[in-house]
Amino acid sequence: MSVTREAIETRFHPASAPDYLPIPLLQHLQLERLRAMVQRAYEKVEFTRKQMQAGGMTPEDVRGLDDIARLPFTIKTDLRDNYPFGLFASPMQEVVRLHASSGTTGKPIVVAYTQGDVDVWTNSMVRTLAACGLSKGDIVQNAYGYGLFTGGLGLHYGAEGIGATVIPISGGNTDRQIMVMKDFGTTAIVCTPSYFVHLIERAGEMGVDMCELPLRVGVFGAEPWSESMRQHIESRTLLKAYDIYGLSEITGPGVASECACQHGLHIFEDHFYPEIVNPQTGESLPEGEEGELVLTTLSKRAMPILRYRTRDITAFLPGACPCGRTLRRMRRITRRSDDMFIIRGINVFPSQVETALLAVEGTLPHYLIILTRDKGLDQMEVQVEVTPEVFSDKIGALEGLQARLVHALDQVLGIRVEVRLVEPHSIARSEGKAKRVLDRRQA
Ligand code: DLL
């Protein structure tokens, strides 16, 4: 019996049951878990106990979900300062896995899982993949990096958990990825969106038409990407491109996921309690208002985290999702509060540059922002690759395109910046998270 695309997308997986809990039941569960978690963190983690004591709080003060706002925040440096195992609430004998996220400076952040934590993580990954329309019978090519990064193993366990066939190919080795995709009949690819853009491009060069492959779903995350990037991907393949979100400090991937509606990411809030706060004041913000996402683990045993300041900027989406899930949705994350840079007094986020560039016909989603300082004045150059057709065109066409890009960036950023059109392939491709900004101002 053949199954239609729509039928696959709406197929129900039993692990997804909590996605549809009536809200009062969900809140009851959240409160129960929150109280138990706070009690345990207070008893087992000296850092958390001291932080709570400093704020004059005891676990008994958590009586309702609103009381979460009285708990102390945890920030990235708290994890660094307690490197490597200072925030663990379980003895090492109960820790079955360690992961680490490499920071840009200094020591990485280490995170720990008990067997129960790995099971919860797998469960939230099964729910993620089910929301993206995957099920038993899918052949999942996992091109997220395996290792200390949570992407590889997180997706791996989730895909096995849903009963799919996993190809644990990891990132890189692009030509082999394409051969495998073709020969093994991959139906779902999971990797960073920037790496998939590279795969599309390389497939074209190798004479492989992605539209002729059985590939029908892409599960993309671990870095910001825009709606224009989704359009770029979906217009060159037959797949539906889904956005998934997560971070090592909280569990890894599996914190939030889009559903078939592709309109906002449902947060698996029975395990990860979300708040959106004003990044300056730390005050909670109402639905619809943009701010910093703050997450509290409700079930984590090895390393419970209270109110983690993610620095990821988003907003809760109002209204019910047509998919029927009752889990709150957040807008896709296109920027972090710390990836902003200031050029001549103007705040710029790399995502604004991406949106402006991709809106102009003739460019490819490969770009690099280079910041320099000349005689004390900040300069910004945007290098962007153009399509081979445009590149081989007459000089006039290139000049016209460049002028359109300068104008498009001016419209979005409010300043005129340098645009340099570069040949296809001249910007380095990433196999994982793309690096979009090169800041040479300190050099
Ligand atoms: O990137 C976990 C992950 C793996 C998520 C695979 C999705 C898929 P970290 O390396 O700790 O963990 O990086 C977490 O990456 O705070 C965001 O800034 C960013 N990020 C993750 N997913 C998205 C997304 C993994 N869908 C940091 N959109 C987070 C935008 C994302 N940014």
Side-chain angles (χ1 to χ4, degrees), residues 200-266:
I200 297 180
E201 180 180 63
R202 187 69 196 128
E205 288 163 3
M206 290 167 68
V208 174
D209 182 356
M210 285 226 179
C211 295
E212 285 179 358
L213 303 181
L215 205 55
R216 61 176 195 85
V217 176
V219 180
F220 303 124
E223 64 183 5
W225 57 303
S226 58
E227 268 315 303
S228 338
M229 183 81 112
R230 175 164 23 223
Q231 278 159 21
H232 176 91
I233 292 173
E234 291 191 342
S235 65
R236 283 161 180 79
T237 60
L238 292 181
L239 58 74
K240 258 184 110 161
Y242 291 96
D243 189 13
I244 67 163
Y245 168 83
L247 63 168
S248 322
E249 294 88 330
I250 296 301
T251 193
V255 173
S257 170
E258 282 187 338
C259 61
C261 304
Q262 291 176 305
H263 182 56
L265 289 82
H266 291 280

Side-chain angles (χ1 to χ4, degrees), residues 49-72:
R49 183 168 53 252
K50 285 196 172 146
Q51 250 195 333
M52 283 180 61
Q53 282 167 345
M57 272 205 91
T58 63
E60 290 69 40
D61 293 326
V62 180
R63 295 194 191 88
L65 280 176
D66 288 348
D67 290 324
I68 203 163
R70 299 167 56 207
L71 291 168

Side-chain angles (χ1 to χ4, degrees), residues 331-342:
R331 211 161 62 200
R332 75 185 305 142
I333 286 164
T334 49
R335 61 194 178 92
R336 291 175 55 83
S337 57
D338 56 2
D339 67 6
M340 185 188 87
F341 51 88
I342 300 176

